[in-house]
């Protein structure tokens, strides 16, 4: 009888031991809290805040404690699209992204119910308020100013929650469809206007440059014609003087020939006394020397009347004719090179092309002619 009672007590003890062992394991598991490196946890015992659990293994009272997890990394909150009316009564819609970070987990646990939802709702109302204080053009162009205003409005209340707003980025600001169509029409009209203005300016510039080029070409052509006329007049003057000298020489020879014929007729007469002009005697002497070759080595050996006197040579510039022709060729070559450079500059549309007016060119030519006349008078 006693053995049967002992056999019945053994299973009861075994079951009780197993229950105690299971209770010990559950108690141990409930008292150990493992916290990740990227988070912190707020510990409450019987609903009372005790402390923050740091990353690693933490022991807490079993069965009567609770923990609340807080991610200590930067978190992203999407602000839903909001509708607002700008200061100039234009409807717009906008959405944003807010970057936050938990700086004080105790405040985030005790001061606000759900810090993420609280920051998101605050950002929505702030976004609508900021857009309502701005005009339509500012909402489309001043994106950085909108971001700064929203962040400033969020800083003060979120600091009390232990949250820091690191950045606010407005993603899109869209006006209504009617406003978008009007803006597109305005932009298209503005682009057409600018295109027409640029085209008109280009045509005007082309016409002006062409006119300036034609004017410069006419001036250069006129200069060339004037120089040609001057050279032609100088050539005619030289030719006229040469013909006059030649005629004078031929006339002198004719007088001598006529005089010789007269002497021959007189010689046939009976008189032995003759009266002859001094000029004829001089011409006959020179003519005789030229014919007989006397004094050829000592004197000129040719008729003096065939040479120009010094005054005539200086007037015609015969002594300096080669130098004058060389200067004319050099000036012509320089004028051609200068005209080619100016024509190339005009063709390329260079702003530095030196295109002179007709009045300036004529004034410069008149000054050159006046200087030449003054030199001749001084000589």
């Amino acid at each position: 009888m006693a053995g049967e009672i002992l056999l019945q007590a053994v299973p009861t003890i075994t079951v009780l031991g197993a229950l105690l062992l299971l209770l010990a394991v559950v108690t141990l598991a409930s008292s150990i809290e493992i916290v990740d490196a990227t988070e912190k946890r707020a510990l409450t015992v019987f609903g009372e805040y005790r402390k923050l659990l740091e990353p690693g293994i933490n022991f807490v009272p079993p069965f009567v404690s609770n923990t609340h997890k807080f991610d200590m990394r930067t978190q992203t909150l999407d602000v839903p699209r909001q509708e607002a009316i700008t200061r100039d009564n234009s409807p717009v819609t906008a959405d944003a992204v807010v970057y936050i970070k938990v700086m004080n987990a105790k405040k985030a646990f005790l001061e606000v119910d759900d810090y993420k939802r609280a920051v998101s709702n605050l950002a929505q109302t702030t976004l609508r308020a900021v857009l309502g204080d701005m005009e339509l053009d500012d909402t489309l162009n001043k994106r950085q100013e909108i971001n700064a205003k929203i962040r400033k409005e969020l800083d003060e209340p979120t600091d009390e929650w232990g949250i820091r707003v690191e950045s606010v980025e407005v993603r899109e600001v869209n006006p209504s469809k009617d406003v978008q169509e009007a803006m597109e029409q305005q932009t298209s009209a503005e682009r057409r206007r600018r295109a027409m203005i640029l085209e008109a300016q280009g045509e005007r510039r082309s016409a002006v440059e062409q006119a300036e080029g034609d004017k410069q070409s006419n001036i250069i052509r006129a200069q060339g014609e004037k120089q040609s006329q001057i050279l032609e007049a100088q050539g005619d003057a030289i030719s006229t003087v040469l013909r006059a000298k030649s005629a004078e020489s031929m006339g002198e020879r004719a007088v001598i020939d006529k005089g010789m014929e007269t002497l021959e007729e007189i010689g046939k007469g009976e008189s032995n006394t003759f009266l002859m002009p001094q000029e004829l005697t001089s011409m006959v002497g020179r003519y005789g020397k030229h014919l007989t070759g006397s004094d050829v080595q000592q004197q000129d050996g040719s008729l003096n009347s065939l040479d120009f006197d010094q005054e005539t040579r200086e007037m015609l510039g015969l002594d300096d004719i080669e130098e004058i022709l060389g200067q004319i060729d050099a000036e012509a070559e320089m004028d051609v090179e200068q005209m080619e450079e100016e024509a190339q500059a005009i063709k390329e549309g260079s702003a530095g092309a030196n295109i002179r007016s007709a009045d300036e060119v004529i004034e410069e030519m008149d000054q050159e002619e006046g200087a030449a006349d003054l030199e001749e008078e001084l000589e």
Side-chain angles (χ1 to χ4, degrees):
M1 187 70 179
E4 293 179 357
I5 295 174
L6 183 60
L7 290 175
Q8 292 178 356
V10 171
T12 302
I13 295 173
T14 303
V15 172
L16 183 60
L19 291 175
L20 292 176
L21 180 61
L22 180 61
L23 180 61
V25 171
V26 172
T27 302
L28 182 61
S30 178
S31 62
I32 296 176
E33 192 75 24
I34 300 176
V35 181
D36 294 337
T38 59
E39 63 184 25
K40 289 183 179 181
R41 297 187 182 183
L43 174 64
T44 59
V45 178
F46 293 109
E48 181 184 358
Y49 174 80
R50 290 295 179 88
K51 64 178 181 178
L52 290 176
L53 301 180
E54 299 295 334
I57 298 176
N58 297 271
F59 294 95
V60 299
F63 306 118
V64 294
S65 61
N66 290 318
T67 57
H68 302 273
K69 183 174 64 175
F70 293 91
D71 193 341
M72 304 305 293
R73 296 172 295 181
T74 299
Q75 304 174 52
T76 303
L77 297 180
D78 287 330
V79 179
R81 185 173 296 275
Q82 303 296 310
E83 294 184 359
I85 303 297
T86 61
R87 190 166 57 186
D88 52 356
N89 298 324
S90 296
V92 295
T93 59
D95 59 350
V97 178
V98 181
Y99 298 90
I100 63 173
K101 186 174 184 179
V102 178
M103 303 303 296
N104 191 331
K106 179 179 179 180
K107 286 185 176 181
F109 175 68
L110 297 176
E111 300 296 335
V112 62
D113 180 16
D114 186 349
Y115 69 91
K116 291 184 177 181
R117 187 175 68 231
V119 173
S120 178
N121 291 335
L122 182 60
Q124 294 176 29
T125 57
T126 304
L127 176 60
R128 289 196 297 269
V130 170
L131 294 178
D133 291 338
M134 303 177 67
E135 295 184 355
L136 178 62
D137 292 340
D138 294 338
T139 60
L140 299 176
N141 299 327
K142 299 181 179 180
R143 190 70 57 85
Q144 296 299 328
E145 183 176 344
I146 297 175
N147 297 337
K149 287 183 178 181
I150 295 175
R151 181 179 178 181
K152 183 178 180 181
E153 294 294 330
L154 294 178
D155 277 340
E156 184 177 353
T158 55
D159 285 343
E160 297 178 0
W161 302 337
I163 308 298
R164 184 179 69 186
V165 178
E166 295 187 341
S167 177
V168 177
E169 296 294 335
V170 176
R171 289 187 293 192
E172 290 184 359
V173 178
N174 297 322
S176 63
K177 293 182 178 180
D178 295 338
V179 176
Q180 289 182 4
E181 292 177 357
M183 292 174 63
E184 291 176 358
Q185 293 176 1
Q186 181 181 1
T187 303
S188 178
E190 181 66 19
R191 290 178 178 175
R192 288 196 299 269
R193 184 182 68 84
R194 291 181 181 178
M196 294 174 64
I197 292 174
L198 292 176
E199 183 178 359
Q201 289 178 349
E203 293 178 354
R204 178 178 177 274
R205 181 179 179 84
S206 177
V208 170
E209 291 182 354
Q210 183 177 1
E212 291 291 339
D214 293 341
K215 182 175 69 174
Q216 185 70 9
S217 177
N218 294 332
I219 293 172
I220 294 172
R221 188 182 301 109
Q223 289 177 343
E225 293 177 355
K226 181 177 181 181
Q227 292 179 357
S228 176
Q229 292 174 1
I230 292 172
L231 294 176
E232 185 178 357
Q234 292 177 350
D236 292 341
I238 295 173
S239 177
T240 301
V241 174
L242 290 175
R243 286 197 298 270
K245 286 293 184 179
S246 177
E248 181 182 355
S249 177
M250 293 301 294
E252 188 175 289
R253 289 176 182 272
V255 171
I256 293 174
D257 292 339
K258 187 65 174 178
M260 296 301 293
E261 293 177 358
T262 304
L263 290 176
E264 184 180 357
E265 293 179 357
I266 294 173
K268 294 178 181 181
E270 297 179 356
S271 176
N272 294 325
T273 302
F274 308 101
L275 295 176
M276 296 180 64
Q278 184 180 357
E279 291 81 2
L280 180 59
T281 305
S282 176
M283 286 190 293
V284 169
R286 287 188 287 116
Y287 188 65
K289 290 180 181 180
H290 180 68
L291 293 177
T292 59
S294 62
D295 299 332
V296 173
Q297 301 297 328
Q298 291 79 13
Q299 297 182 2
D300 190 11
S302 61
L303 291 177
N304 294 332
S305 60
L306 295 177
D307 293 333
F308 297 111
D309 54 16
Q310 186 63 28
E311 182 179 358
T312 304
R313 296 182 66 85
E314 291 180 357
M315 179 184 69
L316 296 177
L318 296 179
D319 296 334
D320 301 330
I321 189 65
E322 294 182 357
E323 181 180 357
I324 293 173
L325 292 177
Q327 292 178 356
I328 292 174
D329 293 338
E331 291 178 358
E333 183 177 356
M334 292 176 61
D335 291 340
V336 170
E337 293 179 356
Q338 184 178 3
M339 287 188 289
E340 290 179 353
E341 293 177 357
E342 292 178 354
Q344 183 66 22
I346 293 172
K347 181 178 180 181
E348 294 177 356
S350 174
N354 186 14
I355 300 178
R356 300 180 299 174
S357 63
D359 296 335
E360 294 177 354
V361 174
I362 293 172
E363 183 179 355
E364 182 180 352
M365 293 169 61
D366 292 339
Q367 292 177 358
E368 293 177 356
E369 292 179 359
D373 294 338
L374 181 59
E375 291 179 359
E376 292 180 358
E377 292 179 358
L378 293 176
E379 291 177 357

